[in-house]
Structures are given as structure tokens and as C-alpha cells.
Amino acid sequence: TQDKMQSLFAEMRAAGIQASEFTYSSLITAFSRLGRLEKAMETFRLARSDKKVNVVVLTQLLKARYRVC
């Protein structure tokens, strides 16, 4: 569920585990499938601040945008 996903991600960050591009793209995909574009965008902003943006992350963000429209 969305709550569990967010909780696990928060635990990772709190433990000092750095998310990978795969983690960010997976979260963006999951949020978009749940219709949560704002959460997908928030995740993208985190990925950008962690310098973990690549073509896969950007592709998932674009797919998220068009899934919701």
C-alpha cells in the first residue's frame, strides 16, 4: 500500500541508506499508478536533490504525467 511504501522509504532515509535511481523510478511509477501525481513529483524533486535523476527516472515521471491526464 501507499502508506507502507512511504514508511519504508522514510525508514531507508532515516537509516542513511541512499536511494538509487531504480528506487526513485519505482516510487514514481507506483505513485502514478495510484493517481498520486503530486507524490510522484515530490519523489522526483527528492531524486533531483540527491542527484539521482537519469533517463529512466525522467521517463517514469513523463509516464506518470500522462497516466493522470
Side-chain angles (χ1 to χ4, degrees):
T1 66
Q2 178 182 336
D3 292 336
K4 183 156 185 126
M5 182 174 64
Q6 287 179 274
S7 175
L8 287 171
F9 185 64
E11 284 180 40
M12 279 178 55
R13 290 179 65 85
I17 300 170
Q18 186 149 36
S20 66
E21 290 89 347
F22 179 81
T23 304
Y24 284 116
S25 66
S26 297
L27 287 168
I28 291 168
T29 300
F31 284 129
S32 71
R33 288 182 179 167
L34 292 168
R36 303 291 311 272
L37 182 59
E38 186 52 45
K39 293 300 289 182
M41 289 299 300
E42 181 182 316
T43 302
F44 172 74
R45 286 189 288 272
L46 280 172
R48 191 173 56 191
S49 71
D50 287 346
K51 298 182 178 21
K52 294 291 181 176
V53 175
N54 64 12
V55 69
V56 176
V57 173
L58 289 171
T59 300
Q60 293 310 315
L61 183 66
L62 286 171
K63 286 182 179 180
R65 176 70 179 118
Y66 289 103
R67 256 188 211 113
V68 175
C69 291

